[in-house]
Every structure is written in C-alpha cells, then in structure tokens.
Amino acid sequence: MNVSRIALAGGVAASTVLIFAGTASAHVSVQPQGEAAKGGYATVNFKVPNERDNASTTKVEVNFPTDHPLASVMPQAVPGWDIQVTRSKLAKPLDMHGQKINEAVSKVTWTATGDKNDRGIRPGDFQQFPLSIGQLPEDTDQLVFKAIQTYDNKEVVRWIEEQKDGAEEPESPAPVLKLTAATAGDKSGADATAQTADKQTTAAAAASSSDTTARVLGVVGIVIGVVGVAFGVLAGRRRVA
C-alpha cells in the first residue's frame, strides 16, 4: 500500500516537473549551426514553437540589436512563408572589409502564406527560420534579439524581456545568441597573413633600395666617364700645342 502511494506520488511529481520544464522551454529561441565566433559569420536558426491549442502562428518578427548592428543578414527560404528584410540607416557607419556601411538590417519578418485554414505553425508544432548573419561583433559575449509572435486569432506575444544577472528567467524572454571566442586557427591564420604582408613590404623596400643604389652608381659612372673623356681631349690638345 505504502509502495503504491510512493510510486503514485513520484509519478505525479515527475509529471509536474515535465510540465513546468516544457512550459519554461517553450519560447522563441536562437541557436547557431556550429559556433558563432566573434568577428566571424554564422548561420543561426530562430526556433518558434506554437504555445496555443486553438490558434496557429502566422507571423514572426525578429528585431536586431541596435548597439551591435549587423550589416550582412541573408535569410534562407522557408516553404509557406514570405520573408521581408528591413534595413535602417545607422547613426554611426560600420567599417566592413575596408568599406563604410551606412545601414544595417533592423528587422526580419516571416509571414505565413497559402490557404487560410492550413498555414503557419499549427498547434503542437514548431518552425525554424534560418539566417546567415555577420560580421559578428568582437566586443560583446552575446546578442539579444527581440521577437514578436502573432497568432491567427490576433493574439500577439512579445518575446522582448532581457535576462538580468542573478534573476529568474523572465516570463517572455528575448532570444539570446551566445558568441564564442575566435578559434586559435583563425588567430594563427591572421598572424600568418600579417607576417606575409610584412615580408612582402620588407622585400619591396629592399628592392626599391637596391634599385635606387644602382641608379646612383650608374649616374656616378656616367659622370666619371664624361670627366675622363674631357681630360683626354685636353691632354691631346696640350701635346699638339
């Protein structure tokens, strides 16, 4: 009897844990395919679950951080969804590959298409929305994206709350992309490139110096030759006289 009660209590407790775990994790999130290294480019997936049992998600809007703007954002086509990329002018231009970038992507919006009764993310489903983004900043450990999820019953859920240090997870947390440090291989490659450039610069300087020396010696040789000819002419005139 006691064993049965204990087993029943354990089952209820486990079910409760699973229910709360599912509720806590059922929010819009972002994860990289592989790593999202600082200073590089990454492909990321925005995962959008449907939390309602009587409505479908028909629109997803992801707002990009303004404190660390991203100049390059390329969405991958998602069947059944129309994609709109919105760009905005930057208050401070970005320097990217030696070029000044005056605007960056501020928002990407996915809108479900097709039949009204069979479109979007249906109850019990989720959808991933892939993006290629870059160049990732080097002066922060994470990027915060604020997302807005719209259902076909006009309900709007705003995933915009930022996590505070030491505090519990907010009710509607914003998706956060964790950035990793640049790999040693990337650093070695950069160092090798820099060393090659230095060697090329040194070789060019040496070649330029050698060329200048040769020109100077050539001019000196011409001058000496002219002087020698003049001296010979004068000597011949003295003998005739």
Side-chain angles (χ1 to χ4, degrees):
M1 187 72 172
N2 291 335
V3 174
S4 300
R5 289 179 178 176
I6 292 172
L8 177 61
V12 171
S15 300
T16 303
V17 170
L18 289 174
I19 290 172
F20 280 108
T23 303
S25 61
H27 53 70
V28 177
S29 60
V30 58
Q31 291 294 332
Q33 294 182 13
E35 289 189 345
K38 297 179 181 179
Y41 291 77
T43 298
V44 300
N45 285 319
F46 283 90
K47 182 180 179 181
V48 182
N50 191 321
E51 295 186 307
R52 304 294 180 263
D53 57 7
N54 60 351
S56 295
T57 296
T58 54
K59 185 178 180 181
V60 177
E61 176 184 309
V62 174
N63 293 276
F64 283 68
T66 56
D67 54 344
H68 294 96
L70 300 174
S72 176
V73 176
M74 298 175 61
Q76 180 176 319
V78 180
W81 294 82
D82 178 67
I83 307 172
Q84 181 179 359
V85 179
T86 303
R87 305 180 71 88
S88 299
K89 198 169 185 64
L90 296 173
K92 182 180 180 181
L94 293 174
D95 189 357
M96 193 174 193
H97 303 303
Q99 296 183 345
K100 292 293 183 182
I101 307 298
N102 296 313
E103 62 177 20
V105 172
S106 57
K107 180 172 61 177
V108 177
T109 305
W110 292 266
T111 304
T113 60
D115 184 75
K116 182 178 180 180
N117 298 319
D118 186 23
R119 63 177 180 176
I121 310 171
R122 289 175 288 186
D125 294 343
F126 74 89
Q127 178 67 54
Q128 294 196 91
F129 299 96
L131 290 175
S132 172
I133 62 175
Q135 186 173 355
L136 299 175
E138 301 183 54
D139 57 350
T140 185
D141 295 326
Q142 64 180 31
L143 291 176
V144 179
F145 300 86
K146 296 184 178 182
I148 299 175
Q149 182 177 10
T150 302
Y151 290 88
D152 58 8
N153 62 359
K154 307 302 181 183
E155 180 185 2
V156 177
V157 181
R158 302 178 184 277
W159 304 98
I160 62 174
E161 298 179 74
E162 297 189 34
Q163 177 73 49
K164 304 296 183 183
D165 292 338
E168 295 183 359
E169 183 182 63
E171 184 177 350
S172 300
V176 177
L177 176 66
K178 301 292 186 181
L179 304 182
T180 60
T183 62
D186 292 338
K187 291 182 178 179
S188 299
D191 291 342
T193 301
Q195 290 176 3
T196 301
D198 289 342
K199 289 179 180 179
Q200 291 175 345
T201 302
T202 302
S208 177
S209 176
S210 299
D211 184 59
T212 301
T213 303
R215 289 181 181 180
V216 171
L217 292 176
V219 171
V220 170
I222 292 172
V223 171
I224 293 175
V226 171
V227 171
V229 171
F231 181 78
V233 171
L234 291 175
R237 287 181 178 178
R238 288 176 181 174
R239 290 194 188 98
V240 171

